[in-house]
Amino acid sequence: MPRSFLVKKYFSSKKPYYRESQLESQSAFVPESFPRAELPTQNNSSALTCCPTNPFLSSMDALPAPLSPITPVSLSPSPLGPLDLSSSPSSSSSSEEEEDGGRTSDPPSPDVIPHIYHCLHCSNSYTSLSALSHHQMSHHQLAHCAPLQQMPSLPAEVSARPAFHCKHCPKEYTSLGALKMHIRSHTLPCVCPTCGKAFSRPWLLRGHIRTHTGERPFACQHCNRAFADRSNLRAHLQTHSEVKKYQCGSCARTFSRMSLLHKHNASGCCPAS
DNA sequence: CTGGGGATGGGGCCC
DNA sequence: GGGGCCCCATCCCCA
């Protein structure tokens, strides 16, 4: 089981996939001409939804830090929990360059451009986040969809304990720190200087920059392959194993990746797993 | 169709 | 409290 279960997920067991859902949300909430660099900052973040803030953070200055070679990875056993094979978001994304295109263009002044918030679910538009949030509740019909400041007291049936609600999405957290970390996934403060793609955390940006530089600091001990991401190396190491990490509960077949086991189950081997 | 690589997201832990 | 890193998970794409 993943360790990350502080967050309560109401609407879907599937994680948001920002390349599609998040970016679509951004385009839905923010006019295309609305520049990332001129979006509202934390001080007035109540006026933004999924809009990144300052793209030129100091984290940009500390970019490609030299990475020490990876030590041999010990492949610990992993539980084979139940898998959610819900339908994929049926994305057919164009290149990321296209998706990011224009987002880092020269920003017009926010004094000139009005803030317009479009509903994700219908064509309605609003001039304030609160109005949009209130409207979107009519779609979700979930009380916790409302921003925190708009619902000072939660109904007992909704939350039996204090929770920190994200004002940008329906998620809620049990600690303020977790909420702040989550909000970065909306503000996306780390922007690639090369392509303009924005990320929630500096290390995500560093990993992305490797796709530009071609740096692959994580080398396989068994072959001459190298990877830009440690997780990908870990997945690759599974290919060197006779017995893979993820095993089918019915046919005892093993797979190097969870996703492959997903596909295997979906193909009908384990209909009632 | 399957297996694998590439890329990216999130929460938790540690400093 | 925040940054960096770890680990896990997932999706897309391609051979």
Side-chain angles (χ1 to χ4, degrees):
Chain A
M1 290 292 288
R3 294 176 300 168
S4 51
F5 278 95
L6 273 179
V7 55
K8 301 176 182 179
K9 297 176 180 179
Y10 293 98
F11 46 94
S12 170
S13 61
K14 177 186 287 295
K15 284 186 182 179
Y17 193 53
Y18 278 114
R19 187 156 69 176
E20 287 301 319
S21 59
Q22 178 61 48
L23 292 180
E24 286 178 0
S25 299
Q26 290 179 354
S27 61
F29 280 111
V30 183
E32 288 185 7
S33 59
F34 201 91
R36 165 169 279 110
E38 295 294 338
L39 289 172
T41 58
Q42 296 285 356
N43 292 336
N44 60 354
S45 60
S46 63
L48 66 85
T49 52
C50 296
C51 311
T53 55
N54 179 10
F56 305 108
L57 295 185
S58 58
S59 63
M60 301 294 301
D61 299 332
L63 284 179
L67 293 171
S68 58
I70 184 175
T71 55
V73 175
S74 63
L75 299 176
S76 58
S78 173
L80 300 174
L83 306 173
D84 182 4
L85 293 176
S86 58
S87 61
S88 65
S90 69
S91 60
S92 58
S93 63
S94 56
S95 72
E96 293 175 358
E97 298 289 331
E98 290 176 356
E99 290 187 15
D100 294 324
R103 280 199 255 147
T104 57
S105 60
D106 287 341
S109 167
D111 296 329
V112 177
I113 294 189
H115 295 186
I116 300 174
Y117 301 89
H118 299 282
C119 178
L120 285 173
H121 309 286
C122 67
S123 60
N124 288 2
S125 299
Y126 299 88
T127 56
S128 71
L129 173 64
S130 59
L132 172 65
S133 298
H134 184 267
H135 160 76
Q136 288 197 319
M137 287 180 63
S138 65
H139 291 295
H140 291 285
Q141 292 188 339
L142 295 174
H144 54 261
C145 288
L148 179 60
Q149 56 268 56
Q150 292 184 349
M151 41 188 313
S153 62
L154 289 172
E157 65 273 18
V158 172
S159 176
R161 54 178 296 183
F164 297 89
H165 296 256
C166 177
K167 67 181 68 174
H168 310 306
C169 75
K171 287 186 176 179
E172 63 182 42
Y173 295 81
T174 56
S175 72
L176 181 60
L179 173 61
K180 285 183 176 180
M181 183 61 68
H182 162 75
I183 287 177
R184 297 192 64 155
S185 67
H186 293 295
T187 59
L188 299 177
C190 308
V191 179
C192 175
T194 302
C195 69
K197 190 171 178 62
F199 298 87
S200 59
R201 304 184 211 180
W203 61 266
L204 275 172
L205 173 60
R206 283 196 289 272
H208 165 76
I209 287 177
R210 292 196 195 107
T211 67
H212 294 304
T213 63
E215 181 189 14
R216 292 167 176 257
F218 304 101
C220 177
Q221 303 287 319
H222 306 286
C223 66
N224 58 358
R225 291 196 69 99
F227 300 85
D229 182 82
R230 191 189 302 272
S231 294
N232 290 338
L233 170 62
R234 188 176 298 110
H236 165 77
L237 287 172
Q238 284 288 303
T239 66
H240 292 299
S241 299
E242 289 272 338
V243 178
K244 306 297 193 295
K245 189 176 179 179
Y246 303 98
Q247 184 174 28
C248 175
S250 293
C251 68
R253 190 175 175 185
T254 59
F255 300 88
S256 61
R257 291 176 173 227
M258 179 79 79
S259 59
L260 296 177
L261 178 58
H262 285 194
K263 290 180 183 178
H264 173 72
N265 289 337
S267 67
C269 178
C270 308
S273 65

